[in-house]
Amino acid sequence: MRIARYTAGDGAAFGLVEGELGPTGTSRDGLGAGAAEGLTVRRIDGHPFAPFQVVGDPQPLSDVRLISPVLPSKVIGIGRNYADHAKEMGALIAGAEDDPPITFLKPSTSVIGPGEAIQYPGGVSEEVHYEGELAVVIGRLCREVPVERAADVILGYTCANDVTARDLQRAEAQWGRAKGFDTFCPLGPWIETDPGSSLATDLAVTTTVNGELRQAGRTSQLLHPVSKLIAFITQAMTLLPGDVILTGTPAGVGPLQPGDEVSVTIENIGTLTNRVVARG
Ligand code: MG
């Protein structure tokens, strides 16, 4: 089941996206070339965090504008969760393989949806990087979740771009500013509740910039899998419905420039595409 949020004239609603996905690629609608063709959306009455009814007739997806599939109260980021990326980051986030996961927070104000612009904060940062990642969307209020119960608190998964001001990440002791600029957390295009396995254990994660492949990993390479991340995070904080966990990025991170188009594709989920513009 694919759950999106969208606007269609009279405000925002959740909706169920139905139909066969086209080939994924890049396009300005955030869906991938040809992917919107034939897809429809039907409005969900209320929200998807409880049993819901679908109302109204199916509308072509191309007639609506998708927005961020959730409005999280918080986004929890995980650093250095693929060994090959940890290696490429070298001293910046050096540590032992069996160290606890590195966690950080991205503010809710950093979240944007598919097709929205990433604003490049020139003059504050001159080195802005993409990081394609699997995002976990939490389905219910939870704390102190045991590893074996993790699947019970997940609503589904979406694609994320953990956009990072790499120069500020190097220069400043904590990553709050580097990871926290407005527009630095694109999410979408929708929440897939069944990507083939309840804990998303082996999905391809790829990132392209202007159509060129830059990152290619699989979630099977995660040093700390989704179930362990949920247990670890909820030892400390309560998660609310709609909260998001970014699970880390594979190797191949690199710079974005104004004018670039960046796409994160996750197998069985979809493609999230955003353009980069200079911040006004
Ligand atoms: Mg990241």
Side-chain angles (χ1 to χ4, degrees), residues 8-74:
D10 55 349
F14 286 99
L16 208 56
V17 175
E18 294 167 311
E20 284 296 304
L21 265 190
T24 50
T26 62
S27 73
R28 292 229 157 71
D29 61 9
L31 292 173
E37 222 170 284
L39 293 183
T40 60
V41 63
R42 281 193 297 158
R43 190 164 69 80
I44 286 173
D45 191 19
H47 62 74
F49 301 106
F52 60 80
Q53 286 196 317
V54 176
V55 294
D57 295 325
Q59 268 182 286
L61 197 62
S62 50
D63 287 0
V64 306
R65 188 168 76 87
L66 291 182
I67 55 180
S68 166
V70 277
L71 290 174
S73 81
K74 55 188 171 296

Side-chain angles (χ1 to χ4, degrees), residues 78 104 131 133 162 179 248-249:
I78 302 297
F104 58 90
E131 294 188 0
E133 310 198 2
D162 175 21
K179 299 280 193 179
T249 199

Side-chain angles (χ1 to χ4, degrees), residues 142-217:
C142 59
R143 63 187 171 89
E144 296 179 64
V145 179
V147 168
E148 59 274 14
R149 297 286 308 278
D152 299 352
V153 306
I154 297 170
L155 176 66
Y157 299 88
T158 191
C159 311
N161 192 339
D162 175 21
V163 181
T164 302
R166 196 70 73 201
D167 46 358
L168 300 194
Q169 190 186 27
R170 274 192 300 268
E172 301 179 5
Q174 298 222 349
W175 303 351
R177 291 213 310 160
K179 299 280 193 179
F181 282 83
D182 291 354
T183 74
F184 273 24
C185 190
L187 297 175
W190 43 62
I191 301 161
E192 172 58 69
T193 60
D194 179 17
S197 67
S198 60
L199 290 167
T201 44
D202 189 20
L203 302 177
V205 179
T206 58
T207 306
T208 63
V209 178
N210 303 325
E212 286 178 21
L213 184 66
R214 300 291 174 84
Q215 292 186 286

